[in-house]
Amino acid sequence: MDKINLLVIATLITLFISLLLIFFLLTVKTKDKTSNILFAVFLFLNAVDSTDPLFGLLSDGPSNLGMFKTTVAFLQIPIFYLYVLSVSYSDFRLKPQYLIHAVPFLIVNAVLMPRFYFADAASKMDFIVNRKSMIELQFSHILLHIQIIVYFTAIFILLKKAKKLYVENNAGTHINSYNWLFQFTTLLSILYLVAIVKNVFKFSEYPDISEWIKVGIMVLQPFIICWYLFKALNNPDLFRNIDSKLKLVRDIISEERINTSAPIAVNDKMYSEELLKLRKYMNEKKPFLNPSLTIQDVSNDIQIPVRDLSLLINHKLEQHFYDFINAYRIENAKDILKDVTKSKVTILEILYEVGFNSKSSFNSAFKKHTGFTPTDFRKAL
C-alpha cells in the first residue's frame, strides 16, 4: 500500500470516528453541556485539519479555502485549553474575553491576505511551490509552534493547581480523574510535539519524512481520542469538583504575611480548641462516610470558617484535607477487616461502606496509610 492510499484510509477513519463522537457529544443529555460542546469543537477542528489528503484529491491547486482550513490549526489548542478549564472548575462559564484566544488565528489570516488570499491562481501556485522562502508561512509555523508550547505549559500548570486545590478542599475519591486527564494531555502534547518535528522536516530537504510522520499522527490520533472518551463516558461524574475562586493554602499564607508584614501569628489555644472540636466531630458524626465530602461541608457543620479550617488541616496538621479524611476512612476499614464477624464482607463492600467509590483509590489510600493492600492486611491478621 503506497503512502497516498494509506493517508486517505487514515483520513477516512479519523473523519468517521470524529463525526460519530461529535454527534454523540452534542446529542447526549448531560448537565455538563459546555464541556461536551468544547470537546466536540476540538474534535471537529482536528477532523478539519486532517482532511488534507482528501482535499488534495478534490482540489486542482491551492485555494483560499484550503489555506483557511490549514490556519484552523491555530484554534485547536486554545479550545482544548478551555475544555480543560471547563472540566476542572465547577463555576466555568464561557465569557466574551475568551475570544482573545482567537488572536493568533486572526493574525495569521491577516498576514496571508496580501500575497495569498487576494492573489490570483498563478500567484497562489507560486506561493506554495516556493513555500520554503515565503516569510508568511515561516511566520505561521513559528507562531504555531510557540502557541503549542505555551498552551500545553499553561494546561499542565492548570491541572497541577486544580489537583492541589482538590486535595486541599475535597475528600471525594475522584482524584484519579485528574491523573488520567494529565495522562491524556501528556499524550496529546507528545502528538503535537511530533507534529512540530513533522513541520520541521516539511521545510527541510527531507519532505517525505514529514509525510510519513503525518500518516503516523493520523493513525494514532483517533485511538487516543477514543481512549479518552471511553474513560470519560464510563465515569460521567469525574470532574467539575473545584471552585475557581478557591485559593491554595500557600497563597493564603503569603497574603497574610504581606498584609501583616510578619509571619502568621499562630494562636495555639485557638488551634487546640478547633482541633478538639474537629476530632470530636469526625469521631461522633463520621462525615467521612460521605464519598463527596468537601471542606465546606465540614465548615458548615462545626461552624469554623473554611479559611481557618483549611489552615488548621493543610498548614497546622500538614495534611491535605483529602488525606486527612482518608485517614479516618482507612481506620474505619481496618476496624471492619479486624472484625471476625465480618470476615465474609468483601473488600468492595468495605470500600463503599467507609466512603470510597473507587477500588483503585481505596487500594492506593490503604497502602499509603498502612503499607499493605486491604487483602494483604486481612490475610496478616
Side-chain angles (χ1 to χ4, degrees):
M1 183 180 293
D2 61 34
K3 179 177 61 181
I4 295 177
N5 288 335
L6 189 58
L7 272 172
V8 171
I9 292 173
T11 300
L12 290 173
I13 293 173
T14 300
L15 281 176
F16 175 77
I17 294 174
S18 297
L19 293 175
L20 189 65
L21 294 177
I22 288 169
F23 175 78
F24 176 80
L25 287 168
L26 296 179
T27 56
V28 67
K29 292 182 179 179
T30 175
K31 62 181 180 180
D32 302 330
K33 197 70 176 176
T34 301
S35 296
N36 279 13
I37 291 173
L38 286 170
F39 200 77
V41 173
F42 173 72
L43 288 176
F44 176 75
L45 294 175
N46 273 275
V48 170
D49 191 37
S50 68
T51 58
D52 278 348
L54 293 179
F55 206 86
L57 293 176
L58 300 174
S59 176
D60 294 331
S63 65
N64 288 349
L65 180 60
M67 182 60 75
F68 182 80
K69 180 192 70 65
T70 302
T71 64
V72 164
F74 284 90
L75 297 176
Q76 291 177 21
I77 306 304
I79 291 295
F80 182 70
Y81 171 77
L82 293 178
Y83 169 72
V84 174
L85 270 179
S86 73
V87 296
S88 296
Y89 296 119
S90 58
D91 56 340
F92 175 85
R93 299 291 183 275
L94 288 173
K95 302 173 184 177
Q97 54 261 43
Y98 289 147
L99 291 173
I100 194 172
H101 294 290
V103 169
F105 167 75
L106 297 174
I107 289 174
V108 167
N109 278 284
V111 167
L112 289 168
M113 282 182 181
R115 294 209 295 172
F116 190 87
Y117 286 132
F118 294 160
D120 55 32
S123 298
K124 284 182 171 64
M125 180 60 73
D126 182 67
F127 188 91
I128 297 301
V129 169
N130 298 294
R131 59 181 176 274
K132 291 182 181 179
S133 61
M134 292 298 170
I135 189 65
E136 293 92 338
L137 293 181
Q138 293 174 11
F139 168 77
S140 299
H141 279 84
I142 292 172
L143 183 59
L144 181 61
H145 297 168
I146 292 173
Q147 185 194 52
I148 289 172
I149 294 170
V150 170
Y151 269 93
F152 272 111
T153 301
I155 291 169
F156 282 118
I157 291 172
L158 166 63
L159 287 173
K160 183 178 179 180
K161 181 181 179 182
K163 183 177 179 179
K164 191 158 188 178
L165 281 171
Y166 183 90
V167 298
E168 286 187 358
N169 297 278
N170 290 261
T173 52
H174 297 319
I175 193 66
N176 287 338
S177 65
Y178 290 97
N179 294 333
W180 63 260
L181 181 55
F182 182 89
Q183 292 168 9
F184 175 71
T185 303
T186 300
L187 285 174
L188 206 59
S189 64
I190 292 172
L191 207 62
Y192 276 92
L193 288 175
V194 172
I196 290 177
V197 174
K198 172 185 75 70
N199 289 336
V200 170
F201 277 111
K202 186 177 180 180
F203 286 87
S204 72
E205 299 299 322
Y206 308 98
D208 285 345
I209 296 178
S210 174
E211 291 300 315
W212 281 112
I213 293 176
K214 185 175 182 178
V215 172
I217 291 173
M218 293 181 67
V219 170
L220 288 175
Q221 186 172 295
F223 286 102
I224 294 174
I225 292 172
C226 285
W227 168 77
Y228 176 77
L229 284 177
F230 173 79
K231 298 281 284 186
L233 294 174
N234 280 279
N235 301 274
D237 298 320
L238 283 174
F239 298 107
R240 303 178 69 80
N241 294 297
I242 299 296
D243 188 325
S244 63
K245 299 181 185 65
L246 289 173
K247 294 181 179 179
L248 292 169
V249 169
R250 69 173 183 225
D251 295 333
I252 296 175
I253 293 172
S254 296
E255 289 177 4
E256 286 285 337
R257 286 174 175 163
I258 291 172
N259 292 336
T260 60
S261 300
I264 294 177
V266 179
N267 188 326
D268 289 333
K269 182 179 179 181
M270 180 192 73
Y271 273 131
S272 297
E273 291 174 353
E274 289 183 341
L275 184 57
L276 286 173
K277 189 176 182 180
L278 175 62
R279 296 288 190 193
K280 182 179 179 181
Y281 166 74
M282 296 298 296
N283 291 321
E284 293 181 357
K285 300 298 182 180
K286 300 186 185 300
F288 52 84
L289 299 180
N290 174 9
S292 301
L293 186 70
T294 68
I295 199 168
Q296 182 68 59
D297 297 329
V298 177
S299 171
N300 292 338
D301 286 345
I302 63 177
Q303 298 300 302
I304 295 178
V306 171
R307 176 190 169 282
D308 294 344
L309 188 59
S310 182
L311 286 173
L312 172 63
I313 297 171
N314 291 286
H315 181 58
K316 187 66 176 177
L317 297 181
E318 297 183 337
Q319 275 187 296
H320 291 314
F321 180 73
Y322 180 81
D323 290 329
F324 175 76
I325 297 301
N326 278 349
Y328 280 92
R329 289 171 174 162
I330 297 305
E331 287 302 315
N332 197 1
K334 286 167 62 179
D335 290 340
I336 297 173
L337 289 168
K338 292 175 183 176
D339 191 341
V340 293
T341 65
K342 296 182 178 180
S343 59
K344 292 186 178 180
V345 179
T346 66
I347 300 297
L348 192 62
E349 290 173 322
I350 293 173
L351 73 89
Y352 285 122
E353 184 176 338
V354 301
F356 287 90
N357 56 15
S358 163
K359 189 174 182 179
S360 60
S361 296
F362 177 60
N363 287 339
S364 297
F366 198 96
K367 191 163 187 178
K368 180 178 180 179
H369 286 273
T370 67
F372 297 92
T373 65
T375 302
D376 290 340
F377 183 85
R378 173 175 264 174
K379 288 178 179 178
L381 295 174

